[in-house]
Every structure is written in C-alpha cells, then in structure tokens.
Amino acid sequence: MKMWRCTVCGLLYEGENSPKACPKCGSPAEKFELVSEEQVGIIERARKTNQLHSDLLAELAKVEAIADAGIEDNLDPGCLRTFTKAKEATRLVRQFSVAEIRVHVNKGKWG
Ligand SMILES: [Fe+2]
C-alpha cells in the first residue's frame, strides 16, 4: 500500500494514487508527496504502540476521575493519601506518555 502526505496540512492518505484533493484541507493532488517505503514501515510499526498510548491516556483520565472522587470523599487519612498518590501517578505517567507521543510525531512515527 502506498502512502501520500499532504504537504499543506500533513494528512496521510493510503492508496495507489494520491487523492484528487486533500480530504482535510482541499489542496490539489500536486500538493501530495509519496511517503518512502521505509517511512511507511516505520509508521506501520508504530501504529500499535501509538494506539496503546492513546488507550493509556484514556484509562489514566478514568483513574484520575476516580482519584478525584476519592479525594473529595476523604473517608480517612489512609484513603486520602492513596487517592492523592493515585492522582499524582496518573499525572506522571500521562507526561511520560505524552512525551513519547511527541517523539513519535517529531520522528514521523505517527500516522
Ligand atoms: Fe491537506
């Protein structure tokens, strides 16, 4: 499968030929460049990991909401400490994941 990149907006398009116009920004076909086979391989290899990061961020948001509810509930000092630590942990892991996503995007691994 060939992959094309819109040089105007960055959209990646999979197909034998570039689209007549960019589905996202409307730029004409000549604004598309063919993505190298090596880069396509890098993108395809990273897709699973990219999805795992997306899933992780979604789950972290759920855990943070639970932690917030536990902090608000504030049954006793042990519970408060546990939910506070959970909230801190979600924030730390989120920053790890976001940093990795940033690296993937900058290296063209996100597509
Ligand atoms: Fe575009």
Side-chain angles (χ1 to χ4, degrees), residues 63-82:
V63 173
E64 187 170 16
I66 292 168
D68 285 339
I71 291 167
E72 186 177 329
D73 186 41
N74 194 14
L75 178 64
D76 56 49
C79 290
L80 182 60
R81 187 167 44 253
T82 299

PDB file of all heavy atoms in Angstrom, residues 63-82:
ATOM      1  N   VAL A  63      -8.850   6.905  35.761  1.00  0.00           N
ATOM      2  CA  VAL A  63      -8.239   6.715  37.084  1.00  0.00           C
ATOM      3  C   VAL A  63      -8.154   8.056  37.819  1.00  0.00           C
ATOM      4  O   VAL A  63      -8.428   8.124  39.029  1.00  0.00           O
ATOM      5  CB  VAL A  63      -6.836   6.065  36.959  1.00  0.00           C
ATOM      6  CG1 VAL A  63      -6.132   6.037  38.312  1.00  0.00           C
ATOM      7  CG2 VAL A  63      -6.957   4.653  36.393  1.00  0.00           C
ATOM      8  N   GLU A  64      -7.826   9.111  37.090  1.00  0.00           N
ATOM      9  CA  GLU A  64      -7.749  10.424  37.729  1.00  0.00           C
ATOM     10  C   GLU A  64      -9.120  10.849  38.253  1.00  0.00           C
ATOM     11  O   GLU A  64      -9.216  11.428  39.346  1.00  0.00           O
ATOM     12  CB  GLU A  64      -7.182  11.476  36.783  1.00  0.00           C
ATOM     13  CG  GLU A  64      -6.948  12.799  37.516  1.00  0.00           C
ATOM     14  CD  GLU A  64      -6.173  13.814  36.703  1.00  0.00           C
ATOM     15  OE1 GLU A  64      -6.055  13.657  35.476  1.00  0.00           O
ATOM     16  OE2 GLU A  64      -5.683  14.782  37.310  1.00  0.00           O
ATOM     17  N   ALA A  65     -10.164  10.553  37.507  1.00  0.00           N
ATOM     18  CA  ALA A  65     -11.522  10.895  37.968  1.00  0.00           C
ATOM     19  C   ALA A  65     -11.868  10.106  39.240  1.00  0.00           C
ATOM     20  O   ALA A  65     -12.489  10.643  40.167  1.00  0.00           O
ATOM     21  CB  ALA A  65     -12.535  10.616  36.859  1.00  0.00           C
ATOM     22  N   ILE A  66     -11.458   8.843  39.280  1.00  0.00           N
ATOM     23  CA  ILE A  66     -11.674   8.040  40.491  1.00  0.00           C
ATOM     24  C   ILE A  66     -10.883   8.640  41.653  1.00  0.00           C
ATOM     25  O   ILE A  66     -11.395   8.767  42.774  1.00  0.00           O
ATOM     26  CB  ILE A  66     -11.260   6.570  40.245  1.00  0.00           C
ATOM     27  CG1 ILE A  66     -12.219   5.921  39.242  1.00  0.00           C
ATOM     28  CG2 ILE A  66     -11.219   5.788  41.558  1.00  0.00           C
ATOM     29  CD1 ILE A  66     -11.739   4.576  38.718  1.00  0.00           C
ATOM     30  N   ALA A  67      -9.639   9.018  41.377  1.00  0.00           N
ATOM     31  CA  ALA A  67      -8.806   9.612  42.421  1.00  0.00           C
ATOM     32  C   ALA A  67      -9.432  10.903  42.940  1.00  0.00           C
ATOM     33  O   ALA A  67      -9.477  11.136  44.161  1.00  0.00           O
ATOM     34  CB  ALA A  67      -7.396   9.867  41.882  1.00  0.00           C
ATOM     35  N   ASP A  68      -9.932  11.725  42.030  1.00  0.00           N
ATOM     36  CA  ASP A  68     -10.583  12.981  42.441  1.00  0.00           C
ATOM     37  C   ASP A  68     -11.791  12.693  43.332  1.00  0.00           C
ATOM     38  O   ASP A  68     -12.006  13.387  44.344  1.00  0.00           O
ATOM     39  CB  ASP A  68     -11.025  13.787  41.216  1.00  0.00           C
ATOM     40  CG  ASP A  68      -9.852  14.472  40.521  1.00  0.00           C
ATOM     41  OD1 ASP A  68      -8.807  14.668  41.175  1.00  0.00           O
ATOM     42  OD2 ASP A  68      -9.991  14.804  39.338  1.00  0.00           O
ATOM     43  N   ALA A  69     -12.575  11.673  42.957  1.00  0.00           N
ATOM     44  CA  ALA A  69     -13.750  11.315  43.760  1.00  0.00           C
ATOM     45  C   ALA A  69     -13.323  10.829  45.143  1.00  0.00           C
ATOM     46  O   ALA A  69     -13.961  11.150  46.160  1.00  0.00           O
ATOM     47  CB  ALA A  69     -14.577  10.247  43.038  1.00  0.00           C
ATOM     48  N   GLY A  70     -12.233  10.059  45.181  1.00  0.00           N
ATOM     49  CA  GLY A  70     -11.729   9.558  46.459  1.00  0.00           C
ATOM     50  C   GLY A  70     -11.198  10.674  47.333  1.00  0.00           C
ATOM     51  O   GLY A  70     -11.386  10.667  48.559  1.00  0.00           O
ATOM     52  N   ILE A  71     -10.538  11.641  46.713  1.00  0.00           N
ATOM     53  CA  ILE A  71     -10.024  12.793  47.467  1.00  0.00           C
ATOM     54  C   ILE A  71     -11.191  13.597  48.037  1.00  0.00           C
ATOM     55  O   ILE A  71     -11.175  13.999  49.203  1.00  0.00           O
ATOM     56  CB  ILE A  71      -9.113  13.656  46.556  1.00  0.00           C
ATOM     57  CG1 ILE A  71      -7.826  12.896  46.242  1.00  0.00           C
ATOM     58  CG2 ILE A  71      -8.817  14.996  47.206  1.00  0.00           C
ATOM     59  CD1 ILE A  71      -6.994  13.490  45.112  1.00  0.00           C
ATOM     60  N   GLU A  72     -12.206  13.795  47.212  1.00  0.00           N
ATOM     61  CA  GLU A  72     -13.381  14.550  47.673  1.00  0.00           C
ATOM     62  C   GLU A  72     -14.116  13.787  48.778  1.00  0.00           C
ATOM     63  O   GLU A  72     -14.595  14.379  49.751  1.00  0.00           O
ATOM     64  CB  GLU A  72     -14.324  14.825  46.504  1.00  0.00           C
ATOM     65  CG  GLU A  72     -15.491  15.728  46.890  1.00  0.00           C
ATOM     66  CD  GLU A  72     -16.384  16.056  45.708  1.00  0.00           C
ATOM     67  OE1 GLU A  72     -15.879  16.120  44.583  1.00  0.00           O
ATOM     68  OE2 GLU A  72     -17.597  16.246  45.932  1.00  0.00           O
ATOM     69  N   ASP A  73     -14.175  12.472  48.632  1.00  0.00           N
ATOM     70  CA  ASP A  73     -14.862  11.636  49.630  1.00  0.00           C
ATOM     71  C   ASP A  73     -14.162  11.725  50.988  1.00  0.00           C
ATOM     72  O   ASP A  73     -14.806  11.844  52.024  1.00  0.00           O
ATOM     73  CB  ASP A  73     -14.902  10.196  49.122  1.00  0.00           C
ATOM     74  CG  ASP A  73     -15.707   9.292  50.009  1.00  0.00           C
ATOM     75  OD1 ASP A  73     -16.788   9.719  50.482  1.00  0.00           O
ATOM     76  OD2 ASP A  73     -15.254   8.157  50.262  1.00  0.00           O
ATOM     77  N   ASN A  74     -12.814  11.632  50.944  1.00  0.00           N
ATOM     78  CA  ASN A  74     -11.979  11.881  52.119  1.00  0.00           C
ATOM     79  C   ASN A  74     -12.456  11.132  53.368  1.00  0.00           C
ATOM     80  O   ASN A  74     -12.683  11.722  54.427  1.00  0.00           O
ATOM     81  CB  ASN A  74     -11.926  13.397  52.390  1.00  0.00           C
ATOM     82  CG  ASN A  74     -10.829  13.768  53.359  1.00  0.00           C
ATOM     83  OD1 ASN A  74      -9.934  12.963  53.657  1.00  0.00           O
ATOM     84  ND2 ASN A  74     -10.886  14.979  53.877  1.00  0.00           N
ATOM     85  N   LEU A  75     -12.593   9.811  53.228  1.00  0.00           N
ATOM     86  CA  LEU A  75     -13.092   8.998  54.343  1.00  0.00           C
ATOM     87  C   LEU A  75     -12.138   9.031  55.537  1.00  0.00           C
ATOM     88  O   LEU A  75     -12.557   9.209  56.669  1.00  0.00           O
ATOM     89  CB  LEU A  75     -13.309   7.551  53.886  1.00  0.00           C
ATOM     90  CG  LEU A  75     -13.775   6.578  54.973  1.00  0.00           C
ATOM     91  CD1 LEU A  75     -15.159   6.992  55.486  1.00  0.00           C
ATOM     92  CD2 LEU A  75     -13.788   5.146  54.459  1.00  0.00           C
ATOM     93  N   ASP A  76     -10.854   8.826  55.277  1.00  0.00           N
ATOM     94  CA  ASP A  76      -9.867   8.843  56.358  1.00  0.00           C
ATOM     95  C   ASP A  76      -8.500   9.156  55.760  1.00  0.00           C
ATOM     96  O   ASP A  76      -8.343   9.157  54.531  1.00  0.00           O
ATOM     97  CB  ASP A  76      -9.873   7.510  57.127  1.00  0.00           C
ATOM     98  CG  ASP A  76      -9.630   6.326  56.223  1.00  0.00           C
ATOM     99  OD1 ASP A  76      -8.662   6.359  55.424  1.00  0.00           O
ATOM    100  OD2 ASP A  76     -10.419   5.356  56.290  1.00  0.00           O
ATOM    101  N   PRO A  77      -7.484   9.430  56.600  1.00  0.00           N
ATOM    102  CA  PRO A  77      -6.176   9.842  56.066  1.00  0.00           C
ATOM    103  C   PRO A  77      -5.561   8.809  55.113  1.00  0.00           C
ATOM    104  O   PRO A  77      -4.919   9.187  54.126  1.00  0.00           O
ATOM    105  CB  PRO A  77      -5.313  10.008  57.321  1.00  0.00           C
ATOM    106  CG  PRO A  77      -6.296  10.351  58.396  1.00  0.00           C
ATOM    107  CD  PRO A  77      -7.540   9.547  58.076  1.00  0.00           C
ATOM    108  N   GLY A  78      -5.740   7.523  55.397  1.00  0.00           N
ATOM    109  CA  GLY A  78      -5.172   6.493  54.528  1.00  0.00           C
ATOM    110  C   GLY A  78      -5.787   6.524  53.136  1.00  0.00           C
ATOM    111  O   GLY A  78      -5.081   6.397  52.119  1.00  0.00           O
ATOM    112  N   CYS A  79      -7.094   6.690  53.087  1.00  0.00           N
ATOM    113  CA  CYS A  79      -7.772   6.772  51.782  1.00  0.00           C
ATOM    114  C   CYS A  79      -7.346   8.034  51.045  1.00  0.00           C
ATOM    115  O   CYS A  79      -7.055   7.997  49.843  1.00  0.00           O
ATOM    116  CB  CYS A  79      -9.287   6.757  51.966  1.00  0.00           C
ATOM    117  SG  CYS A  79      -9.910   5.163  52.512  1.00  0.00           S
ATOM    118  N   LEU A  80      -7.308   9.127  51.768  1.00  0.00           N
ATOM    119  CA  LEU A  80      -6.916  10.394  51.127  1.00  0.00           C
ATOM    120  C   LEU A  80      -5.513  10.289  50.553  1.00  0.00           C
ATOM    121  O   LEU A  80      -5.261  10.719  49.418  1.00  0.00           O
ATOM    122  CB  LEU A  80      -6.998  11.531  52.145  1.00  0.00           C
ATOM    123  CG  LEU A  80      -6.658  12.913  51.594  1.00  0.00           C
ATOM    124  CD1 LEU A  80      -7.606  13.314  50.465  1.00  0.00           C
ATOM    125  CD2 LEU A  80      -6.690  13.949  52.717  1.00  0.00           C
ATOM    126  N   ARG A  81      -4.593   9.681  51.309  1.00  0.00           N
ATOM    127  CA  ARG A  81      -3.217   9.514  50.837  1.00  0.00           C
ATOM    128  C   ARG A  81      -3.191   8.628  49.595  1.00  0.00           C
ATOM    129  O   ARG A  81      -2.498   8.914  48.619  1.00  0.00           O
ATOM    130  CB  ARG A  81      -2.360   8.915  51.958  1.00  0.00           C
ATOM    131  CG  ARG A  81      -0.881   8.857  51.650  1.00  0.00           C
ATOM    132  CD  ARG A  81      -0.015   8.563  52.890  1.00  0.00           C
ATOM    133  NE  ARG A  81      -0.532   7.515  53.758  1.00  0.00           N
ATOM    134  CZ  ARG A  81      -1.094   7.714  54.952  1.00  0.00           C
ATOM    135  NH1 ARG A  81      -1.199   8.932  55.445  1.00  0.00           N
ATOM    136  NH2 ARG A  81      -1.527   6.708  55.669  1.00  0.00           N
ATOM    137  N   THR A  82      -3.948   7.554  49.619  1.00  0.00           N
ATOM    138  CA  THR A  82      -3.978   6.629  48.481  1.00  0.00           C
ATOM    139  C   THR A  82      -4.503   7.312  47.222  1.00  0.00           C
ATOM    140  O   THR A  82      -3.894   7.218  46.141  1.00  0.00           O
ATOM    141  CB  THR A  82      -4.865   5.411  48.816  1.00  0.00           C
ATOM    142  OG1 THR A  82      -4.301   4.737  49.934  1.00  0.00           O
ATOM    143  CG2 THR A  82      -4.956   4.465  47.630  1.00  0.00           C
TER     144      THR A  82
END
